[in-house]
Amino acid sequence: MNPSNQLRTFNFLYFALLAMFISFLPVYLDAQGLQATKIGLIIGTGGIITIFSQPLWGMISDRTRTIKKVMLFLLACSTLIGYFLYASNNFVILLIFTMLMYFFLMPLDPLTESLNFQTAEANGVSYGSIRTFGAVGYAIMSLAVGYAIQYLGITSLAYLFAGIGLISLLICFSLPDAPVSGKPLTLKSLRHFLGNKETIWFLVLIFIIAVPQRINDTFLGVYIRKLGGSADLVGQAWFIAAGSEILVFALSFWWLRKGKELFIISFASVFYALRFFLSAWITDPHWMVYLQVLQTFTFPIFYSAAIQYLYRIVPEEWRATGQTVLALLFFGVSGIVASYLGGWFYESFGGQQLYFWISVMSFVGLLFSIILHAIYGRKTQE
């Protein structure tokens, strides 16, 4: 099989695993009778683990000069731990296995992206033609898992995760390897990166917009169930959300204009605020599912513009560090705040008030992005 096609298959399977973990872990914890505060505690603590685990395994890859062997080890551990995670119902055991999953499964994401990029370059194909299969895998598995839980029970997650994990391992064995060329995150490089005032304000903007997104990622499934929706509706919601990203990412070469990144981020922020404001007033779980189509104008547009803007303002020698910091801020730090604070807020005031609050925070992000565009927009275009 062509190396690019092998990697496309692996992307499909790996992001299918991510769908089972990221999208349905809160649903599984809720089904075990855990309160929103405990769900937030578990997922937020996992975010802390991610902050350390991603740079750690990245540095291990640097030292061993291999991506594939590290991925095989992480995938084998994740498959085993994932099975026991979704076969457990004790709070302490769930906490421990979730921490291990964040330690082994989440670092696979940047390693996979690195392999995607290098394989695309080596075979003369576009990166998007490979990465799109990850979005397809996430969308399809979200839909499939929802129906599996509905008709086979919540414990079917354990067998599904183990089965997809084993197939992923077989595919991973056949993948081409590539040496890691990125620089590991160090305190010295971090000081250089954060010495730019424009960079600091940009990262503040990312944090403001990322926290509402991560709160929605964590509690969307829980909220749909509280509105009376079933597990298959949760799957449909994530299918629509993930599926809406495919075309946006594929056409990014057409709509993502250099020098217009802050304007594009403001555009996405408008739809973030609208999406979460409407979520606060919805009482029918089916309408909550349909609303996820607004993901088309939020995450894929925002994150693509954020990466491109970062690459424009950060010196070339610090791009690897900048991308690591952006990923840790969006998926790590903001995830911690979102899980802890979101869990407490949900438990104290309910889902409706939680969505109203994050719509206000998204609106603040919109105002802040407009201010940054007024200050730095012309300079960036020049």
Side-chain angles (χ1 to χ4, degrees), residues 193-194 197-215 217 261-266 268-269 272 276 298-311 313-314 322-338 358 361-370 372-373 376:
F193 173 65
L194 295 178
K197 184 180 294 185
E198 183 177 357
T199 300
I200 295 173
W201 287 122
F202 172 68
L203 292 178
V204 172
L205 172 64
I206 296 300
F207 178 78
I208 294 174
I209 298 177
V211 169
Q213 166 76 48
R214 299 296 289 141
I215 286 178
D217 290 347
E261 296 89 357
L262 287 173
F263 174 80
I264 294 172
I265 289 174
S266 298
S269 299
Y272 266 128
F276 298 144
T298 52
F299 173 73
I301 291 178
F302 162 71
Y303 201 64
S304 298
I307 292 176
Q308 180 165 294
Y309 185 76
L310 181 75
Y311 270 52
I313 66 175
V314 175
Q323 190 170 5
T324 303
V325 172
L326 177 65
L328 290 178
L329 181 65
F330 191 91
F331 296 104
V333 178
S334 64
I336 296 168
V337 176
I358 64 175
M361 191 171 183
S362 295
F363 184 74
V364 172
L366 167 63
L367 297 179
F368 195 61
S369 66
I370 293 174
L372 291 187
H373 180 65
Y376 298 111

Side-chain angles (χ1 to χ4, degrees), residues 4 15 46 51 69 73 90 100 116 137 141 164 166 183 189 206 256 267 291 345 348 352 366 373:
S4 299
F15 281 92
I51 292 177
K69 292 177 182 177
F73 175 75
N90 178 270
L100 291 173
N116 287 343
M141 186 51 63
I164 298 297
L166 289 173
K183 298 178 182 178
S189 64
I206 296 300
L256 188 56
F267 174 84
L291 188 64
F345 202 98
S348 302
Q352 183 179 29
L366 167 63
H373 180 65

Side-chain angles (χ1 to χ4, degrees), residues 71-126:
M71 288 175 61
L72 282 169
F73 175 75
L74 294 178
L75 194 55
C77 293
S78 299
T79 300
L80 183 64
I81 294 167
Y83 171 80
F84 286 111
L85 169 66
Y86 288 121
S88 305
N89 54 22
N90 178 270
F91 173 74
V92 176
I93 295 176
L94 287 169
L95 177 63
I96 293 173
F97 281 130
T98 302
M99 297 309 99
L100 291 173
M101 285 291 285
Y102 273 100
F103 185 78
F104 290 109
L105 181 67
M106 298 308 289
L108 274 165
D109 182 64
L111 293 175
T112 301
E113 297 289 16
S114 180
L115 194 59
N116 287 343
F117 183 79
Q118 295 189 54
T119 301
E121 277 194 333
N123 290 273
V125 299
S126 69

Side-chain angles (χ1 to χ4, degrees), residues 138-139 216-217 220 235-246 275 289 291-296 299-300:
Y138 199 106
N216 179 71
D217 290 347
L220 173 62
Q236 291 172 27
W238 281 108
F239 173 77
I240 292 174
S244 65
E245 299 177 2
I246 297 172
R275 175 185 179 184
V289 172
L291 188 64
Q292 302 317 305
V293 73
L294 289 181
Q295 178 91 340
T296 305
F299 173 73

